[in-house]
Amino acid sequence: MNASRDETANGRVRMLRRGAGAVVGLWVFAFFAVQPFADARLDPAQPDEIATLVHPVLEESIEVAHAEPPTAPDAPAPEPEPELEPKPEPEPEPAPEPEPETEPRAAVATTLDARDLMRGDALLGGGEFPVLNCSYDSFPSFRAYARAMSALGARFVVVHHREIVGSVDIETGRLRDASGLTAFSPRARDYTGEPGLARLARTMRERFGSGAVVMMLVPRSVDAGLFGGIARVLAERGERHEDYREIRGRYERSDGGVFLRVESGTRHDGRKVAFDLLFDLSVISGAGAKA
């Protein structure tokens, strides 16, 4: 009876040993079976095999500002927000009506007659007419303005201590005889400081002295027509030219010559008065020559 029990116990031990050996064998087999792949992953000398074992993962981009945290499983689902009626779009503002186009102001010159020339010639002799202060910035350069005025009969002269010492051609710088100037206005245009005359003025100072300046004389008929015409217009307005100390305007180019637009006047009390007078200097010069 005891012998049979011992045999049974020995049989169980042998079975356990065989099972343990099988488990160890399977473990060893599995270790050596997996070992080549592990080496392939860690060996930097085999980049192709590494690439085949790395699979890219496509990530879906989200807007962080709109990501909502997950809700608890037992939390009630949020109620849907009520749909709002769309706001009516504002009606577009009506386009502004286009302003009516206005035609440019016509250049209508003040008409002069023989009486205006006579009145102006008398004012030239008396010296009581206000100072004319006129710009020429509508011309592209001083040279262009000087050529236009020379075409009307103007002449450039050298003045030293209020005495005309010579006539000069601003194109060539040549000095000319200063005789025969009685047909020119005694109101000379002083262009001291004009950059276009700087070189010529320096040459004249070297020749005639430090006080020499270059001025422009216009035909006497031009200033006579301007003085007489302005005096008549002021009289028609109930004013006198003696009430003004300065008349301001600008020289403008025209197809056939030069215009002078009188824009304002300054009275002796300092008050400025707007004018709108236009004189065609070519017509005035021609009328004076005929007279």
Side-chain angles (χ1 to χ4, degrees):
M1 189 71 177
N2 293 330
S4 61
R5 288 179 179 177
D6 293 338
E7 292 179 358
T8 302
N10 292 333
R12 290 179 178 177
V13 170
R14 286 194 296 271
M15 291 179 63
L16 290 173
R17 290 178 178 175
R18 291 176 181 174
V23 170
V24 172
L26 289 174
W27 184 87
V28 172
F29 176 78
F31 174 80
F32 287 101
V34 177
Q35 186 66 26
F37 292 97
D39 292 342
R41 291 186 182 183
L42 301 177
D43 186 4
Q46 301 178 5
D48 294 337
E49 293 185 9
I50 294 176
T52 59
L53 297 176
V54 178
H55 301 285
V57 178
L58 180 62
E59 297 181 0
E60 183 178 359
S61 61
I62 61 173
E63 296 182 9
V64 179
H66 293 83
E68 298 180 358
T71 57
D74 54 350
E79 297 181 0
E81 297 182 359
E83 296 183 0
L84 300 178
E85 296 182 0
K87 297 181 179 180
E89 297 182 0
E91 297 181 0
E93 297 182 0
E97 298 182 0
E99 298 182 359
E101 297 182 359
T102 57
E103 297 181 357
R105 183 177 57 180
V108 179
T110 302
T111 304
L112 302 178
D113 54 24
R115 289 173 297 179
D116 294 326
L117 292 172
M118 294 177 60
R119 183 185 299 109
D121 192 74
L123 291 173
L124 279 174
E128 58 184 3
F129 197 81
V131 176
L132 284 180
N133 189 348
C134 304
S135 65
Y136 47 87
D137 53 5
S138 63
F139 285 83
S141 65
F142 177 78
R143 291 282 179 175
Y145 161 71
R147 293 189 186 102
M149 295 300 291
S150 297
L152 295 178
R155 184 183 298 184
F156 285 86
V157 295
V158 183
V159 180
H160 187 256
H161 296 308
R162 300 182 62 86
E163 180 183 355
I164 297 177
V165 295
S167 176
V168 62
D169 186 346
I170 66 170
E171 298 289 346
T172 63
R174 291 182 178 180
L175 286 170
R176 297 177 178 177
D177 185 12
S179 61
L181 299 179
T182 56
F184 290 88
S185 171
R187 294 286 189 99
R189 274 66 168 173
D190 187 357
Y191 296 111
T192 302
E194 166 57 46
L197 288 176
R199 183 176 180 181
L200 181 61
R202 184 171 59 253
T203 302
M204 296 300 105
R205 287 195 300 269
E206 292 174 355
R207 176 157 185 172
F208 296 102
S210 59
V213 295
V214 178
M215 296 186 177
M216 184 178 70
L217 301 180
V218 300
R220 187 179 181 94
S221 60
V222 171
D223 274 353
L226 291 175
F227 289 13
I230 294 173
R232 174 174 56 83
V233 172
L234 289 176
E236 293 172 353
R237 295 171 51 159
E239 298 181 285
R240 302 182 308 162
H241 63 271
E242 296 94 333
D243 298 332
Y244 288 83
R245 70 186 186 201
E246 183 185 53
I247 302 294
R248 301 184 69 91
R250 77 176 56 244
Y251 294 101
E252 298 178 352
R253 291 175 292 176
S254 67
D255 295 337
V258 183
F259 285 145
L260 175 61
R261 187 178 297 277
V262 178
E263 299 174 323
S264 65
T266 303
R267 298 172 63 92
H268 289 290
D269 58 4
R271 185 167 60 93
K272 293 185 178 181
V273 180
F275 294 154
D276 188 14
L277 305 176
L278 188 67
F279 296 94
D280 190 337
L281 302 189
S282 302
V283 173
I284 298 175
S285 178
K290 292 179 180 179

